[in-house]
Amino acid sequence: LSLYSSPARETKYVENPQTQLEEGVSRLRHVMEPYTAWCQLGFFFLGTELIVSSKIKVDSSLCSDFFSEGCEFLQNPPAGFYPRLGVIGFAGIVGLFLARGSRIKKLVYPAGLMGIGASMYYPQQAVSIAKVAGTQLYDWSLQGYIAVESLWKDN
C-alpha cells in the first residue's frame, strides 16, 4: 500500500424524491410567478429605521379597457398611497386575528377595522358612503316595516 495514493471511490449522486408538500409549493410558486413579478420590494435603512418601499410594475398589455384606469392609477399613485394601503390591509389582518370563533366575527371585524382605517385616511369619501348606506338602510327598513304591517293587517 502506497502512502500517497488512495483507491478511487465511485460516488453517485442520488436526489431525494420530492414530497407532496414540496410539489404543492412548487406548483403554487409557478402559478403565482407572474403576479409576484409585478412587485419589487426594496429595503432601506435610515439610522435605526427600516423603510420598505414597493414598486409595482404593470405590463400595459395586461391592461384592457376595463382595467385601464386602475392600471394608470397604480402606475402613477398619489403620494402616500401605498403606506395608507398597507395600514388599511394591516387593520384587516388584525381584524382576522381578533375574530377567532364566530363566522360572523370573521366577516364583521376585518371589514369594520378596514373601514375605520380607510375613513381615517379618506374622510370625505367615508362621509359620502355613510350617507348613501344610511339612506339605503332606511329604505330597506321602511320596506320591511311596510311588508310586515301588510302581513299583520291581512290576518
Side-chain angles (χ1 to χ4, degrees), residues 59-70:
D59 188 14
S60 61
S61 65
L62 295 174
C63 299
S64 64
D65 293 335
F66 182 73
F67 293 112
S68 63
E69 289 181 18

Side-chain angles (χ1 to χ4, degrees), residues 4 24 38 46 53 56 64 80 82 90 108 112 114 117-118 140 150-151 155:
Y4 298 106
W38 287 353
L46 264 176
S53 71
I56 295 182
S64 64
Y82 290 121
F90 183 71
V108 173
M114 287 175 69
W140 289 340
S150 67
L151 286 173
N155 291 335

Side-chain angles (χ1 to χ4, degrees), residues 77-152:
F81 174 73
Y82 290 121
R84 290 177 181 180
L85 185 66
V87 168
I88 294 167
F90 183 71
I93 292 171
V94 168
L96 279 175
F97 180 73
L98 294 175
R100 293 188 177 175
S102 172
R103 289 184 183 179
I104 295 174
K105 284 183 183 178
K106 288 182 182 178
L107 292 174
V108 173
Y109 283 17
L113 288 176
M114 287 175 69
I116 290 170
S119 66
M120 288 184 347
Y121 287 119
Y122 304 104
Q124 288 99 3
Q125 290 87 350
V127 168
S128 65
I129 289 171
K131 285 180 181 178
V132 171
T135 305
Q136 287 291 329
L137 187 62
Y138 176 74
D139 289 343
W140 289 340
S141 64
L142 191 59
Q143 289 173 2
Y145 177 76
I146 291 170
V148 169
E149 185 181 37
S150 67
L151 286 173
W152 188 268

